[in-house]
Amino acid sequence: MPSVQRFQPPDGGYGWMIVISSVLITSSITPIVQCFGLIYEKPFKEADISATQISFLLHLYNSIMCTFCFVAGPLLKKFSFRQVALAGSLAVSVGVSATYFSSRYEYLLGTFCIFIGIGQGLIIQSVSLAINTYFKKRLTLAMSYSVTGTGLLPIVTPQVTNLLLANYNTQGTVLILAGISLHSLAGALLLRPPYRKSKPNRENVAADGTADEVRCLIKDELKLSVTSKIKALLNLELLKESSFVILIVGMSISYVAELNFNLINPFVLAELTQLNRDDVALAMSIQASGDITGRLLIPLISHRLHLPAKHMYLTTLIVSCIGRQVLISFCDTRIVILTISILVGLAKGARAVFQSLVLPEYINIERLPVATGFLMILNGVLSIAIGPIIGFVHDYTDTYIYALQTASLLSMGCVVLWLLDQLVRRVCRSRSHEEQQQTTIS
């Protein structure tokens, strides 16, 4: 019976190569998504593609990505993170390469939404597991390097994409991005699995337990019913906790609203503010600079002041809503638009950090993977259910003003929902305390 030597996270060594690999993989596959609006703004306009159709396409991609983030969990139990990352990288590369052949809306539903969505979902979980495997004590530092390295590329990507579009048109630009996406395969190959199986050894068998004991354990495991296994795996008891349900519903609604704004932002800048393509690319680069600053600076301030992640997450939503309102009010002033891009980027970057910290503050580590799975599934469902509504509002009103206000309304829905939940729980605790005091006096 083969024995498996347990792997101790080195907190360095080859772990830094894992961090570099994660940056290489993520940086190779994100340009097509980040600059999708910049690349297809003109072809979609010429083809008379409505905002509802654009919104549906982008949210279908996101829904598939979220679904396969959840699916990747069971896959990573059977296969190594290198194998799953290779499969995801191959799917993205095929999707981007296939996108070269046509800019038709129906065709993009298959190449962009399905292939790239599946690939990115698998990659996100694989890269995260790889870093968590190689780091323990220095995990925060490793994650910070990975996120920062990935966040630096979007600062220059819009400018490079704009230059490519000016020289090679849409198809040529996509072909070059397809070549870049192939680098993710090299990055995935560098994700070396840490576990090594040793040769069969009787001493190891004796140390681990007798063969009879192993057989007994297997028989006991087989006695568990399928229903019991599903309940144990999914931990459905979480859904009985109203506070948890309110937490993930609020996060999902705001996630969909903010994601919608981020994805359609190039279309908003081109139509609502009448910026040319060079200025749209400049605004996206400025927003990316604010994004990386928000990821690094604001969480540090929050840590120093001991501010809860939940409160900081709500603050970023409020700041995003203010930024959109300013954009609407001063949509004809170029300097204001470029300035507000910094504010929107700061809120976006900080929100990306705090949304990953809200659940760990509420859920213990044993239930966190299941809770995250529920959140990802809900993100995917609401993305395809609510996301296109914002595009429909644009088509119905023929302006992005009301579409942006709809996004803000959804985000503020999360703020109101969480504040009401906190108020109700505080009132309940107060009443319970009063009843205990009365019981003690009696």
Side-chain angles (χ1 to χ4, degrees):
M1 178 180 176
S3 65
V4 180
Q5 184 180 1
R6 290 186 63 84
F7 179 77
Q8 295 297 327
D11 280 310
Y14 196 82
W16 296 121
M17 183 58 70
I18 296 293
V19 173
I20 294 172
S21 302
S22 71
V23 173
L24 175 60
I25 295 169
T26 310
S27 299
S28 300
I29 63 175
T30 52
I32 185 68
V33 178
Q34 183 204 357
C35 297
F36 183 86
L38 198 62
I39 296 170
Y40 289 102
E41 188 268 332
K42 185 177 179 181
F44 280 0
K45 191 174 183 180
E46 292 175 349
D48 198 26
I49 303 297
S50 67
T52 303
Q53 290 174 298
I54 295 172
S55 186
F56 174 79
L57 183 146
L58 294 174
H59 281 281
L60 178 60
Y61 148 77
N62 182 69
S63 182
I64 292 174
M65 182 188 71
C66 289
T67 300
F68 274 82
C69 276
F70 182 77
V71 170
L75 289 177
L76 287 167
K77 291 182 179 180
K78 185 172 181 61
F79 303 99
S80 69
F81 48 71
R82 174 194 276 171
Q83 292 172 320
V84 177
L86 274 171
S89 298
L90 183 62
V92 172
S93 299
V94 170
V96 181
S97 301
T99 303
Y100 161 78
F101 295 101
S102 178
S103 296
R104 290 182 56 193
Y105 178 81
E106 297 81 3
Y107 188 76
L108 290 175
L109 287 174
T111 58
F112 181 79
C113 294
I114 297 178
F115 280 96
I116 299 179
I118 290 174
Q120 287 210 328
L122 297 178
I123 287 171
I124 288 172
Q125 294 290 66
S126 303
V127 168
S128 176
L129 179 61
I131 296 177
N132 276 275
T133 301
Y134 274 85
F135 291 90
K136 186 176 182 180
K137 295 179 181 179
R138 306 172 78 179
L139 178 60
T140 301
L141 185 63
M143 280 293 187
S144 176
Y145 287 158
S146 176
V147 171
T148 303
T150 304
L152 289 173
L153 188 67
I155 299 175
V156 298
T157 302
Q159 302 298 325
V160 174
T161 302
N162 185 44
L163 183 64
L164 292 175
L165 288 170
N167 290 277
Y168 300 105
N169 65 45
T170 299
Q171 282 189 299
T173 300
V174 171
L175 185 60
I176 292 173
L177 294 181
I180 293 174
S181 70
L182 290 171
H183 289 77
S184 62
L185 294 170
L189 287 172
L190 292 172
L191 296 177
R192 187 175 68 192
Y195 299 103
R196 294 287 183 271
K197 288 187 176 180
S198 62
K199 293 180 179 180
N201 191 323
R202 292 175 180 264
E203 294 179 1
N204 289 338
V205 172
D208 293 338
T210 64
D212 291 336
E213 290 174 337
V214 173
R215 292 192 192 98
C216 290
L217 288 173
I218 294 174
K219 289 179 181 179
D220 291 340
E221 183 69 20
L222 291 175
K223 289 178 182 178
L224 291 173
S225 66
V226 175
T227 305
S228 299
K229 289 183 179 180
I230 293 175
K231 286 183 178 180
L233 179 65
L234 296 181
N235 199 350
L236 298 178
E237 296 295 321
L238 271 173
L239 298 180
K240 295 181 180 180
E241 300 178 19
S242 59
S243 294
F244 170 72
V245 174
I246 290 173
L247 191 70
I248 63 172
V249 168
M251 285 187 71
S252 292
I253 292 174
S254 59
Y255 169 81
V256 171
E258 297 300 325
L259 176 71
N260 197 301
F261 171 68
N262 292 329
L263 292 176
I264 68 172
N265 193 34
F267 298 98
V268 174
L269 293 174
E271 180 181 317
L272 181 63
T273 65
Q274 297 296 312
L275 294 180
N276 58 39
R277 195 170 66 194
D278 292 339
D279 284 338
V280 170
L282 177 61
M284 291 175 66
S285 294
I286 291 174
Q287 181 177 322
S289 300
D291 186 319
I292 193 67
T293 304
R295 290 171 187 255
L296 293 174
L297 184 61
I298 297 179
L300 179 62
I301 296 173
S302 171
H303 178 72
R304 294 288 186 184
L305 299 178
H306 303 288
L307 299 174
K310 189 175 180 180
H311 294 172
M312 293 302 298
Y313 182 80
L314 293 179
T315 302
T316 62
L317 293 180
I318 294 171
V319 172
S320 293
C321 293
I322 293 173
R324 282 191 287 270
Q325 190 56 48
V326 173
L327 180 64
I328 292 170
S329 302
F330 297 92
C331 61
D332 56 348
T333 309
R334 179 177 179 272
I335 187 64
V336 175
I337 295 169
L338 297 179
T339 303
I340 207 64
S341 295
I342 300 176
L343 182 64
V344 171
L346 285 170
K348 178 186 174 186
R351 187 172 58 253
V353 175
F354 292 120
Q355 71 183 5
S356 64
L357 299 176
V358 171
L359 275 181
E361 280 189 354
Y362 179 84
I363 300 294
N364 59 42
I365 190 65
E366 290 79 13
R367 300 194 299 172
L368 185 58
V370 176
T372 304
F374 283 138
L375 178 62
M376 294 302 295
I377 288 294
L378 190 57
N379 284 346
V381 172
L382 292 186
S383 183
I384 199 66
I386 297 178
I389 293 176
I390 297 176
F392 172 77
V393 171
H394 166 270
D395 293 337
Y396 185 77
T397 60
D398 200 29
T399 177
Y400 271 113
I401 291 177
Y402 299 108
L404 295 181
Q405 290 176 338
T406 302
S408 295
L409 185 64
L410 289 171
S411 290
M412 290 306 297
C414 172
V415 176
V416 173
L417 187 63
W418 283 6
L419 291 179
L420 285 176
D421 177 57
Q422 188 172 348
L423 179 63
V424 170
R425 284 192 289 120
R426 183 172 296 180
V427 170
C428 290
R429 283 198 302 265
S430 177
R431 288 181 178 176
S432 177
H433 182 66
E434 289 177 359
E435 289 176 358
Q436 288 179 357
Q437 286 183 332
Q438 289 176 0
T439 303
T440 303
I441 294 173
S442 301

